[in-house]
Amino acid sequence: MTARIGVVTFPGSLDDRDTQRAIRVAGAEPVALWHKDKDLKQVDAVVLCGGFSYGDYLRAGAIARFSPVMDTVIDQAKAGLPVLGICNGFQILTEAHLLPGGMLGNDHLHFICRDQKLRVENADTAWTTDYTAGQEIHIPLKNMDGRYVADRRTLDELEAEGRVAFRYVDFNPNGSLNDIAGITNAAGNVVGLMPHPEHAVESLIGTGRTDGLPFFTSILKKLVTV
């Protein structure tokens, strides 16, 4: 039976189709989910994709967090449903308090779009098991509000518990504290990151590498073995 992975589209989402394609390339079935519907259509996992939900008019991810679909996502994530938040999806996860901390504007006050080197810090989450800890990968990055911030106690907890999933290497593109590019919850089923792995699953697009594909093969293997 093919694993079904839902991709939520909010008004202003830009990367839902790219994310669906990445899921398909990995061998799973993408399922389109609409922000107004609470029904997740019995998917096995959910991806909150990148873009500018609701135009980021209030604060990145702040309005999307109150979309009807998020009530179900929050409840099921707390019950163990694997959820991946990419860029704006990461912002939504922090606004929904599924992940700690928050996102502020880039410290240089400019939109950034570049290929970014990351180091995999945690290869034990539902979305990262096809990586190895310490592995360096290149993933496209594009954001305006990508600076991860948290109070010192939260940062210390993330570091002590191994919940920093990805860290920027060589260059911090937005001023994120501790060079954090992505984090996980304590259970390892919810992961958020600013770079876009869905743009690095085929050699003809994105970075010209497939460094983002293991996100989607990791969750596929996780679901198959559950």
Side-chain angles (χ1 to χ4, degrees):
M1 181 172 162
T2 303
R4 291 161 45 86
I5 302 178
V7 179
V8 180
T9 298
F10 300 93
S13 294
L14 301 178
D15 299 303
D16 44 355
R17 297 294 181 88
D18 300 69
T19 304
Q20 291 174 25
R21 180 173 178 80
I23 291 167
R24 193 176 294 111
V25 169
E29 177 187 351
V31 179
L33 301 175
W34 184 236
H35 72 110
K36 286 189 175 181
D37 298 329
K38 289 191 174 185
D39 182 10
L40 297 186
K41 301 180 181 179
Q42 297 182 315
V43 297
D44 303 299
V46 167
V47 180
L48 305 180
C49 65
F52 302 90
S53 60
Y54 294 91
D56 287 347
Y57 289 130
L58 176 60
R59 186 174 64 248
I63 301 176
R65 176 262 176 271
F66 292 101
S67 287
V69 72
M70 287 304 299
D71 291 337
T72 310
V73 170
I74 291 169
D75 288 344
Q76 294 201 20
K78 290 179 178 178
L81 179 75
V83 178
L84 175 66
I86 301 171
C87 194
N88 191 233
F90 184 14
Q91 295 161 343
I92 295 169
L93 289 176
T94 62
E95 292 287 345
H97 303 297
L98 287 174
L99 292 174
M103 313 300 298
L104 296 178
N106 298 341
D107 59 352
H108 45 73
L109 303 180
H110 294 287
F111 181 84
I112 189 168
C113 183
R114 56 172 280 136
D115 292 340
Q116 178 67 45
K117 184 189 286 187
L118 306 177
R119 183 170 60 248
V120 180
E121 302 284 20
N122 186 332
D124 295 324
T125 79
W127 299 91
T128 59
T129 55
D130 267 358
Y131 293 110
T132 58
Q135 181 179 352
E136 293 187 352
I137 60 177
H138 291 79
I139 302 290
L141 174 75
K142 51 178 186 176
N143 64 72
M144 181 68 189
D145 300 293
R147 178 162 51 116
Y148 180 77
V149 296
D151 59 53
R152 178 49 55 186
R153 178 179 178 181
T154 298
L155 289 172
D156 289 345
E157 287 179 353
L158 289 173
E159 298 287 0
E161 297 173 8
R163 291 170 55 196
V164 175
F166 297 91
R167 212 180 301 269
Y168 297 117
V169 177
D170 295 339
F171 173 71
N172 185 324
N174 44 39
S176 290
L177 298 180
N178 292 22
D179 297 327
I180 290 174
I183 61 175
T184 178
N185 67 344
N189 64 303
V190 178
V191 171
L193 79 162
M194 286 309 297
H196 287 259
E198 77 279 13
H199 295 326
V201 299
E202 297 176 287
S203 59
L204 292 178
I205 60 173
T207 61
R209 303 159 61 123
T210 58
D211 291 3
L213 187 58
F215 276 89
F216 305 100
T217 57
S218 293
I219 189 60
L220 181 57
K221 290 179 181 178
K222 168 73 174 178
L223 296 172
V224 168
T225 57
V226 167

